[in-house]
Amino acid sequence: MSSKIKKTDALEYHEFPTPGKIQVLPTKKHATQRDLSLAYSPGVAEPCLEIEKNGQKVYNYTSKANLVAVISNGTAVLGLGDIGPLASKPVMEGKALLFKIFADIDVFDIEVDAKDVDKFVETVKAIAPTFGGINLEDIKAPEAFEIETRLKEELNIPVMHDDQHGTAIISAAALKNALEIAGKEASEVNVVINGAGAASISCTRLYKKLGVQKENIVMCDSKGVLRSDRTDLNKQKKEFTTDKDLYTLQDAMKGADVFIGLSIGNVVSPEMLLSMAKNPIVFALANPDPEISYQLAVETRKDIIMATGRSDHPNQVNNVLGFPFIFRGALDVRAKKINEEMKMAAVHALADLTKQSVPEQVNITYNKKMITFGKDYIIPKPFDLRLISEIPPAVAKAAMDSGVAQLPIEDWDAYREILIERLGTGSKLMRLVTNRAKSDPKTVVFAEADQLNVLKAAQIAYDEGIAIPILLGDKIAIEALMKEIQFEGSIRIIDPKSKEEEQRRNEFAEIFWKKEQRKGMTLLEAQKWMRERNYFAAMMVNESQADALVTGYTRSYPTVARPMIELIGKIKGIRRVAATNLMLTDRGPLFLSDTAMNINPNAKDLTEIARMTDKTMKMFGLKPNLAMVSFSNFGSSSSDSAKKMSEAVNYLHKYYPHVVIDGELQADFALNEKMRRDKFSFSKLQGKKVNGLIYPNLESANISYKLLKEIHAAESIGPIIMGLQKPVHLIQLGASVDEIVNMVCIAVVDAQSRKK
């Protein structure tokens, strides 16, 4: 399955619920008249006067220190060409979003209606005081070269044209590692570059800094090899001409050690690949179709080291590995510019990070047993959370060493801690889970597929390669809805009530009856229940005819949960099934248990809930730090509710010491590490960030997660069922499409974990 984005989905995403992808939010209190007087007149006069006396104070009193402008004139937008500044705005907003979610950098996107270089440069210079850095984007060559050069010379803040340098930095890091694996020296390899635009020129310049010799470089454009006798070349292309007796890409490829494609898809043939030297390095970076497909390339040459720009193949050269973290490091030392030393520092940091032991969370995200440095791993994965703590410090140090930093960093350990904290938002975890689901999609039964939102979720799961849907319900109704939403593909549709399913229905009934016959169940009753979609769906999972099940859209939670517990059964040794909700908050992911199943659990039940929560969080690649929450702290109340929490903690400490948990604790002490440190230095949670809360009863847990969801706008994923033998997950009555898709991702990851 390949990921497909439909026009209607893309337009709807950008228009609703609010047009666009970014917004401005206040960072200061603004509830009272005093707040407003401080924010504006008369209080605002004081920082203005301080900045007038010392311009550097602008970094202390305004957002300049963490604000980047993403600026374009829309002359070279993605693969769309010169579409103009207005049409480029969605792309610039998208870039702004990436800056924020990967490096916590705020962005204003600026679309300039100016193709003239002088006019564009003057415009950017005029607005530059607003920003701590400027990211130039989607400006056509050769103007892009002059614009960047002039702005870097005339401004004292970091300026970078990501189209040029982003790909250069990432591919240079990949090339450095690929050469090491191939056993080749940069100074000796013959390199072919196909494409002669801004990215190609910048890449080649950086490869020279790695040690590649100019005389060993052959660059091609759409007309062939850039030869010194050609009269149609601009200044930048002339920099990489050759006198060799080569005219075509096919000529150039013979005996080449390295091929870098920054052009168009499918221009490299298997014959051309076979003509390359031993252990060839091929970076086919055209998107969406590489210069030669990954599958064809690796089938043609077993000794190849291959990279593409695609996420569905090993070694993705993705600019998001670079620009957020390069600007992060530059901003944090108030660098006057992004120079060659800083770019090379990023190259080496990326290359070195690839050789370090990969954290288990990354292995889990990509559904790999162990990712290790080698032919299929020459560059870090985009979802590697170490990027923010490794690349910015390297860039910042290079800025300091090269004399362009204005705010040196003294405590590097503290700086890394600050960077890690910037990851904060829990939505990053859901991106990791989604990516992991895509790595090994499982069959998921959608038990209410004749509901529009459920079917839309199944469509997204199918199109994105998250899951292989099995649709349950009225076949005619489902097919009509599929036609309405243009849901196409080879999808199984099953109507449990249909004549076609009579044999399977009877087989399921027989199994169910034999299990329940000593509890008053008759065969006739079992046959009747198998006409119900949830019972039928549960039996499909139970009998390994599907990997997972998602249901609950049209019925109350207890109504749906009952057949699941009856048919699926609990994991051996588990007394009670429980539920946890994953809340995606500004402080990071937070698990709340038990939010749906046990009304008033006792101490023994609470120990099981804590253990299951611990296991569930580890399934997400997290290190659980749990707190038993109550209205009291460490025995300050003798109430039954508080005592059972304390008893559960004592039991866990004695018999399950690997579970990191303490309590009972009030919620604010649980979540505020400083408060715990000041008052309860003996706590086993000392120095740890709590990311899981175990509640004394369903009432408090359910109220908490719904308050967080509605008032704090935290995204809720769940309730996630814990303790069943099979991957069965229930959605809330009337859940949104996004909520259903999130639960499908969790169901797939759960199924993957159980397969292992």
Side-chain angles (χ1 to χ4, degrees):
M1 289 180 293
S2 60
S3 177
K4 296 184 294 183
I5 298 295
K6 293 182 174 60
K7 178 180 178 180
T8 52
D9 292 341
L11 295 178
E12 186 176 293
Y13 172 86
H14 283 81
E15 185 174 2
F16 301 106
T18 303
K21 298 189 286 288
I22 56 175
Q23 64 178 334
V24 176
L25 294 173
T27 60
K28 297 290 191 292
K29 294 187 296 181
H30 51 278
T32 67
Q33 181 58 45
R34 183 175 186 277
D35 293 337
L36 297 181
S37 296
L38 286 167
Y40 198 55
S41 181
V44 76
E46 297 304 330
C48 290
L49 293 171
E50 290 297 310
I51 294 168
E52 183 188 25
K53 287 186 284 186
N54 178 0
Q56 287 297 305
K57 290 286 186 180
V58 70
Y59 289 99
N60 298 80
Y61 299 125
T62 75
S63 62
K64 180 181 174 79
N66 196 50
L67 187 62
V68 165
V70 171
I71 304 181
S72 179
N73 60 4
T75 53
V77 180
L78 300 177
L80 305 174
D82 185 354
I83 60 174
L86 269 182
S88 75
K89 186 171 176 61
V91 179
M92 302 312 122
E93 285 188 356
K95 193 81 170 191
L97 185 146
L98 295 177
F99 265 108
K100 186 64 178 177
I101 64 176
F102 281 98
D104 192 29
I105 293 172
D106 297 317
V107 168
F108 289 162
D109 63 292
I110 309 289
E111 291 74 39
V112 180
D113 189 7
K115 292 185 178 181
D116 177 76
V117 170
D118 291 333
K119 185 177 179 182
F120 187 95
V121 169
E122 285 305 311
T123 302
V124 175
K125 284 176 61 181
I127 63 173
T130 307
F131 302 100
I134 289 171
N135 181 93
L136 299 171
E137 194 77 17
D138 292 350
I139 303 167
K140 75 179 183 71
E143 291 90 334
F145 296 108
E146 184 180 351
I147 287 171
E148 187 195 38
T149 300
R150 285 178 55 180
L151 288 173
K152 287 175 72 171
E153 290 173 352
E154 298 174 36
L155 294 176
N156 65 347
I157 57 174
V159 176
M160 188 172 86
H161 183 210
D162 184 50
D163 300 318
Q164 292 183 56
H165 306 297
T167 303
I169 290 164
I170 313 310
S171 65
L175 180 59
K176 181 184 178 188
N177 283 338
L179 288 170
E180 181 179 329
I181 293 165
K184 299 183 179 185
E185 293 295 329
S187 59
E188 298 173 359
V189 292
N190 292 309
V191 179
V192 176
I193 314 285
N194 195 49
S200 299
I201 299 295
S202 185
C203 285
T204 312
R205 287 171 178 168
L206 209 56
Y207 301 158
K208 286 175 62 181
K209 291 185 180 298
L210 277 180
V212 176
Q213 301 300 300
K214 182 182 181 302
E215 59 269 23
N216 294 337
I217 297 170
V218 176
M219 185 177 287
C220 302
D221 63 9
S222 59
K223 297 178 182 178
V225 173
L226 303 189
R227 292 176 48 80
S228 54
D229 56 2
R230 280 179 56 175
T231 59
D232 60 341
L233 305 180
N234 61 32
K235 176 184 174 183
Q236 287 75 30
K237 289 184 179 182
K238 286 179 180 178
E239 186 179 338
F240 294 105
T241 57
T242 182
D243 292 321
K244 293 180 180 179
D245 189 24
L246 304 171
Y247 294 87
T248 66
L249 176 61
Q250 186 173 1
D251 296 338
M253 292 281 280
K254 292 174 182 175
D257 297 285
V258 179
F259 169 82
I260 309 291
L262 293 152
S263 52
I264 58 173
N266 303 310
V267 293
V268 173
S269 67
E271 291 73 25
M272 293 161 73
L273 203 61
L274 288 168
S275 73
M276 293 182 71
K278 185 180 177 182
N279 298 325
I281 297 166
V282 174
F283 293 177
L285 306 181
N287 263 323
D289 298 315
E291 283 77 3
I292 182 170
S293 77
Y294 177 83
Q295 199 61 41
L296 180 58
V298 296
E299 287 174 357
T300 303
R301 293 286 300 253
K302 303 300 181 187
D303 58 345
I304 193 172
I305 300 173
M306 177 84 171
T308 70
R310 294 176 59 113
S311 60
D312 52 350
H313 300 310
N315 302 325
Q316 183 191 16
V317 174
N318 188 332
N319 281 21
V320 83
L321 291 169
F323 70 83
F325 311 112
I326 292 165
F327 270 96
R328 180 75 274 157
L331 292 175
D332 290 340
V333 292
R334 294 183 195 167
K336 297 177 183 178
K337 60 177 65 179
I338 293 173
N339 57 26
E340 295 304 307
E341 291 87 346
M342 294 161 74
K343 288 189 284 185
M344 286 306 297
V347 169
H348 294 306
L350 281 166
D352 292 345
L353 181 60
T354 319
K355 299 175 189 177
Q356 295 178 22
S357 297
V358 175
E360 184 59 19
Q361 187 175 32
V362 179
N363 290 320
I364 289 171
T365 299
Y366 290 90
N367 200 33
K368 301 291 185 184
K369 187 174 182 180
M370 184 176 290
I371 299 172
T372 55
F373 180 61
K375 285 174 62 175
D376 290 336
Y377 181 60
I378 60 173
I379 196 72
K381 301 286 189 182
F383 289 105
D384 192 328
L385 301 183
R386 298 173 300 168
L387 288 163
I388 196 168
S389 61
E390 294 292 331
I391 312 308
V395 172
K397 188 174 188 307
M400 291 164 55
D401 292 345
S402 60
V404 298
Q406 301 178 87
L407 186 69
I409 292 169
E410 296 177 0
D411 188 336
W412 291 98
D413 290 336
Y415 177 50
R416 284 188 170 86
E417 286 298 317
I418 292 169
L419 290 170
I420 292 168
E421 283 297 312
R422 284 190 178 275
L423 288 176
T425 177
S427 59
K428 186 178 286 286
L429 177 65
M430 205 56 226
R431 294 197 301 277
L432 294 172
V433 171
T434 303
N435 204 55
R436 182 181 167 193
K438 289 180 179 182
S439 71
D440 185 19
K442 301 296 182 185
T443 54
V444 177
V445 180
F446 291 77
E448 299 151 302
D450 48 12
Q451 299 295 315
L452 183 59
N453 274 8
V454 176
L455 192 61
K456 283 183 176 179
Q459 180 182 28
I460 292 169
Y462 178 79
D463 288 347
E464 292 297 315
I466 294 167
I468 304 160
I470 300 174
L471 308 178
L472 257 61
D474 184 286
K475 188 172 184 179
I476 294 174
I478 292 172
E479 287 177 339
L481 282 174
M482 288 179 72
K483 187 175 181 181
E484 181 182 326
I485 63 174
Q486 300 177 341
F487 185 178
E488 298 174 351
S490 181
I491 313 294
R492 288 174 64 193
I493 303 175
I494 297 174
D495 184 349
K497 297 180 180 179
S498 68
K499 183 73 173 173
E500 291 89 341
E501 293 300 325
E502 183 176 3
Q503 182 178 342
R504 179 159 38 179
R505 201 164 56 234
N506 289 335
E507 289 172 357
F508 285 171
E510 183 85 14
I511 296 167
F512 186 35
W513 172 60
K514 286 180 178 177
K515 181 183 177 184
E516 299 292 321
Q517 61 188 351
R518 292 185 179 274
K519 299 178 184 178
M521 175 74 68
T522 68
L523 180 58
L524 190 62
E525 285 177 316
Q527 289 171 340
K528 175 190 168 187
W529 283 121
M530 285 308 128
R531 296 176 68 86
E532 294 292 328
R533 63 178 74 194
N534 282 328
Y535 280 83
F536 189 93
M539 286 301 296
M540 286 189 70
V541 176
N542 219 24
E543 296 304 306
S544 301
Q545 295 181 16
D547 296 312
L549 162 64
V550 172
T551 187
Y553 182 79
T554 60
R555 300 186 182 187
S556 66
Y557 206 86
T559 305
V560 182
R562 191 176 300 114
M564 301 306 144
I565 297 172
E566 285 180 5
L567 273 74
I568 301 295
K570 299 184 286 289
I571 294 171
K572 188 176 180 180
I574 295 296
R575 296 168 61 251
R576 287 183 179 273
V577 173
T580 188
N581 271 68
L582 165 57
M583 309 302 295
L584 304 180
T585 74
D586 289 342
R587 74 185 300 278
L590 184 65
F591 285 78
L592 311 184
S593 304
D594 175 5
T595 51
M597 301 298 289
N598 297 287
I599 294 174
N600 189 23
N602 59 33
K604 189 166 282 189
D605 297 332
L606 288 165
T607 63
E608 281 197 349
I609 292 168
R611 287 171 55 210
M612 288 190 290
T613 303
D614 179 82
K615 185 176 180 180
T616 300
M617 292 174 68
K618 287 175 179 174
M619 183 182 80
F620 283 86
L622 295 174
K623 185 177 181 180
N625 296 313
L626 306 177
M628 288 273 189
V629 289
S630 181
F631 62 88
S632 60
N633 289 310
F634 293 112
S636 63
S637 170
S638 59
S639 74
D640 291 340
S641 176
K643 282 164 63 178
K644 71 177 181 180
M645 306 301 280
S646 179
E647 288 173 17
V649 168
N650 290 336
Y651 187 87
L652 287 162
H653 284 175
K654 184 175 181 179
Y655 294 105
Y656 299 96
H658 66 279
V659 177
V660 180
I661 190 168
D662 216 339
E664 83 279 15
L665 276 165
Q666 292 176 2
D668 52 352
F669 280 95
L671 297 175
N672 190 317
E673 201 277 323
K674 184 178 183 303
M675 289 174 65
R676 287 201 312 274
R677 184 174 66 247
D678 292 344
K679 296 291 184 183
F680 308 115
S681 58
F682 57 85
S683 171
K684 291 183 181 295
L685 294 171
Q686 199 68 283
K688 294 180 170 61
K689 182 177 180 179
V690 169
N691 52 9
L693 303 177
I694 313 299
Y695 283 80
N697 52 48
L698 186 147
E699 184 177 35
S700 57
N702 193 273
I703 290 170
S704 292
Y705 101 75
K706 291 191 174 179
L707 277 173
L708 276 173
K709 180 181 174 184
E710 295 302 322
I711 295 177
H712 191 62
E715 187 176 353
S716 172
I717 299 171
I720 301 168
I721 298 293
M722 305 183 294
L724 288 176
Q725 288 182 355
K726 300 282 186 176
V728 171
H729 292 282
L730 310 186
I731 53 179
Q732 290 284 17
L733 183 68
S736 70
V737 173
D738 286 344
E739 287 172 333
I740 300 170
V741 172
N742 285 340
M743 192 56 77
V744 172
C745 291
I746 288 170
V748 171
V749 169
D750 190 3
Q752 291 172 350
S753 300
R754 292 170 192 258
K755 289 282 185 184
K756 290 182 179 179

